[in-house]
């Protein structure tokens, strides 16, 4: 299978922008919550737990759905746009802004923490759907055993590139406590990536699953499936 330039551009664009968003979600949301809203470590613990559950369930259920409808492009491009919008929305979350919505006699800090956790789960849902559930499946659909090693090698470099970009170009905004600009720029990049993907992504030739959704969802859990792919499992 020949890998053309269009594939490489799509791979690097979606892979890099996705990793940028994950770096922000994994490394900066906790800092944002702790520094600007609540110094209670329990808030961070709840956010991390809720996000982890959301990511796991989304990848399983939405990945199976993309298999079922065999349309990776929709999940990738629309998912990245919504992923970016969710990240962008954090620019407007603050105790001051939430206090304008809820009564000042209530626990505004608690309300803000809850909103941050909910928005983090929403952001994680779109990210896991677009990146983990669809983009990674698109890579598998578009490659074969002969070139997949090279592709995975490039993908393995992108998280390091994302770290360099964030720490080299974005972290200064965090140091200056300019969180709104930080989230606007990072979310905007992901949105742009999703919009470009509408025109750039070439739909993979994945065969539409003939099984119903539940069968597709549970396919990988059967012992016979594990036996069939045992040569590809490394422990």
């Amino acid at each position: 299978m020949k890998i053309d330039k269009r594939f490489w551009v799509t791979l690097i664009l979606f892979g890099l922008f996705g990793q940028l968003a994950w770096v922000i979600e994994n490394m900066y949301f906790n800092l944002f919550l702790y520094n600007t809203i609540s110094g209670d470590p329990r808030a961070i613990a709840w956010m991390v737990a809720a996000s982890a559950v959301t990511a796991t369930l989304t990848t399983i259920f939405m990945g199976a759905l993309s298999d079922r409808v065999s349309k990776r492009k929709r999940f990738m491009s629309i998912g990245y746009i919504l992923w970016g919008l969710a990240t962008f929305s954090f620019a407007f979350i603050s105790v001051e802004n939430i206090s304008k919505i809820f009564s000042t006699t209530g626990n505004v800090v608690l309300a803000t923490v809850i909103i941050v956790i909910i928005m983090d789960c929403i952001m994680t849902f779109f990210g896991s759907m677009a990146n983990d559930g669809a983009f990674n499946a698109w890579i598998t659909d578009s490659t074969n055993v002969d070139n997949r090693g090279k592709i995975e090698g490039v993908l393995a470099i992108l998280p390091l590139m994302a770290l360099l970009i964030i720490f080299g170009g974005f972290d200064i905004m965090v140091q200056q406590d300019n969180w709104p600009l930080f989230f606007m720029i990072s979310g905007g990049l992901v949105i742009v990536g999703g919009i470009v993907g509408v025109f750039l992504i070439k739909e993979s030739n994945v065969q539409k699953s003939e099984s119903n959704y539940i069968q597709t969802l549970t396919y990988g859990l059967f012992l016979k499936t594990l036996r069939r792919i045992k040569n590809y499992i490394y422990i």
Side-chain angles (χ1 to χ4, degrees):
M1 181 184 296
K2 184 179 180 181
I3 303 298
D4 56 19
K5 293 181 180 179
R6 181 176 176 180
F7 174 86
W8 282 113
V9 173
T10 305
L11 172 77
I12 294 174
L13 176 69
F14 269 72
L16 181 59
F17 283 9
Q19 290 302 322
L20 288 173
W22 282 138
V23 168
I24 292 168
E25 200 272 344
N26 292 329
M27 301 185 66
Y28 283 93
F29 278 7
N30 297 342
L31 188 63
F32 168 71
L33 179 61
Y34 188 86
N35 285 355
T36 68
I37 298 173
S38 173
D40 189 342
R42 291 175 297 180
I44 296 176
W46 278 105
M47 184 174 70
V48 172
S51 178
V53 172
T54 302
T56 302
L57 294 179
T58 301
T59 302
I60 294 173
F61 284 92
M62 298 307 291
L65 183 60
S66 71
D67 286 340
R68 177 64 181 160
V69 301
S70 67
K71 297 294 182 183
R72 311 286 194 205
K73 179 177 179 178
R74 296 178 186 176
F75 287 87
M76 290 168 61
S77 57
I78 296 176
Y80 267 62
I81 293 172
L82 296 175
W83 192 9
L85 287 172
T87 304
F88 192 94
S89 69
F90 276 83
F92 306 99
I93 300 178
S94 67
V95 174
E96 180 181 359
N97 289 340
I98 299 303
S99 66
K100 298 176 182 178
I101 302 175
F102 295 93
S103 172
T104 55
T105 59
N107 193 333
V108 180
V109 172
L110 177 59
T112 309
V113 168
I114 293 174
I115 290 174
V116 169
I117 293 175
I118 292 174
M119 289 306 303
D120 182 34
C121 289
I122 292 174
M123 182 265 193
T124 300
F125 171 81
F126 290 127
S128 296
M129 176 188 73
N131 189 267
D132 299 337
F135 174 67
N136 288 330
W138 177 81
I139 294 294
T140 302
D141 298 336
S142 305
T143 58
N144 56 32
V145 294
D146 296 324
N147 53 33
R148 196 165 293 146
K150 181 191 298 184
I151 302 300
E152 292 296 334
V154 174
L155 289 174
I157 297 173
L158 297 181
L160 299 177
M161 293 180 61
L163 282 172
L164 291 174
I165 293 172
I166 292 296
F167 286 123
F170 286 44
D171 193 67
I172 184 64
M173 290 177 270
V174 174
Q175 299 301 322
Q176 296 174 348
D177 206 29
N178 195 346
W179 287 100
L181 182 61
F182 176 78
F183 288 125
M184 286 180 182
I185 294 177
S186 56
L189 286 175
V190 181
I191 294 172
V192 170
I195 294 174
V196 173
V198 174
F199 308 97
L200 182 63
I201 298 173
K202 183 179 180 181
E203 188 66 79
S204 58
N205 295 321
V206 58
Q207 185 176 359
K208 186 175 182 179
S209 175
E210 297 180 358
S211 305
N212 60 45
Y213 179 68
I214 300 300
Q215 291 173 325
T216 303
L217 185 66
T218 58
Y219 172 78
L221 303 178
F222 291 117
L223 186 58
K224 62 180 181 181
T225 303
L226 296 177
R227 289 197 184 105
R228 188 179 302 124
I229 63 174
K230 63 181 181 180
N231 293 330
Y232 301 97
I233 299 178
Y234 302 93
I235 299 177

